Amino acid sequence: MPTFTLGDDRLSIQAGSYSDEIAVSQIARNWDALSHYPERHAAAALHDLNARLTAFAAHLDELQAMGGSLDMEAEAERFTRRHIEVTRAWWQAESRCMSSFIVGPASFPVRRNEKRQATAHKRMGEIADHVAAARKAVERRAFPNGRPDGPVRGSNPDAADLLRQKIEERESRQAAMKMANKAIHKNRQESEETMAQAVAEATGWSLQVARAVIAPNAFAKRGFEVFELSNNNAEIRRLRSRLAGIEAKQQEPGRDTEEDTAAGPVRVVENVEADRIQLMFQGKPEEAVRRTLKGLGFRWSPSHGAWQRHLNNTGRHAVARFLQSVKTGAEVFPS
């Protein structure tokens, strides 16, 4: 696993085959024209960099603990190498900015400095963007079919079973909430401890959970509110509808057709296994065609060699709009 050691005004980095050492004295010059104390800025910058690198390493550990399949060393090296590049770009952009309090007001290049400040602000934003994108990418590699604690994806081969499990859990919860409310109502004249015992016996919950359930809320009501029961019922109906849709989709044969268009032959594939509707071209489409694809919600998938989006009626409608545009040569989203 990677190691990041911050001490003696320097950050030592080791991630896979990548190693680096950054000292405050090396980077303090980036804030010479912005602060009377550039060393303090440099020390804060190293502290923040160390925090981001450490947080990503902890995220890798979390994904692995959840059962994700990852090459930990490779993932840590990939992120660390790129993130330091992005961070150094921000530091360099900062070095081109000036403060009139430091360099003096005479002949101060205000307009040019404003442009440099805008660039530095953009580079700083790229740091957060890289962290967010890297976290999403590593999660996709760890769990191609979605995190186990996340929503069930249609592309997951076990989607139907997972939805049935969620439905069973929700139905069990619904029945337990009703039994808890019934026990509370039946023992409303008894002591709280007797009421908690009744709830625990009726639901099978622990006494600690039962005590929390019978505790009166801000409106002096005990047990579960009507909206909690109705919301859970609504979620059960939603999951059942989703399950029915997935089961119906799995029974449909995958379609594979080819259309002649102004952009050349386009192969349209309904990939049931991947839960995607895909468009395949004989080579890279022209820029106008790519713009239309993106405008219609398609994204390029290198692993499938196709432009794709979710397989549903909305996706089919998007394909129809695209084919109509390329057959006539008219752009749906002109520049």
Side-chain angles (χ1 to χ4, degrees), residues 190-197 211 214-216 222:
E190 305 294 338
S191 66
E192 288 194 349
E193 191 61 23
T194 300
M195 189 182 295
Q197 288 280 2
R211 290 192 184 107
I214 69 164
R222 301 180 188 272

Side-chain angles (χ1 to χ4, degrees), residues 18-95:
Y18 177 82
S19 62
D20 199 354
E21 187 173 271
I22 308 172
V24 167
S25 58
Q26 295 173 333
I27 64 173
R29 64 180 182 277
N30 293 311
W31 292 274
D32 280 346
L34 287 172
S35 173
H36 289 294
Y37 308 99
E39 295 81 7
R40 295 182 185 179
H41 280 267
L46 280 188
H47 179 273
D48 291 344
L49 173 59
N50 179 60
R52 293 192 299 272
L53 295 176
T54 303
F56 189 81
H59 184 57
L60 291 177
D61 289 338
E62 178 189 359
L63 294 176
Q64 188 179 53
M66 293 171 64
S69 177
L70 286 172
D71 184 339
M72 302 289 281
E73 290 290 341
E75 294 292 349
E77 179 179 345
R78 179 187 293 112
F79 174 80
T80 303
R81 188 183 296 274
R82 176 58 183 158
H83 196 69
I84 290 177
E85 289 178 3
V86 174
T87 301
R88 286 187 182 277
W90 172 51
W91 293 343
Q92 291 169 4
E94 287 276 278
S95 72

Side-chain angles (χ1 to χ4, degrees), residues 268-282:
V268 182
V269 178
E270 292 192 1
N271 191 332
V272 176
E273 183 179 349
D275 195 34
R276 296 291 185 270
I277 188 164
Q278 301 170 326
L279 297 175
M280 301 179 182
F281 298 81
Q282 293 181 350

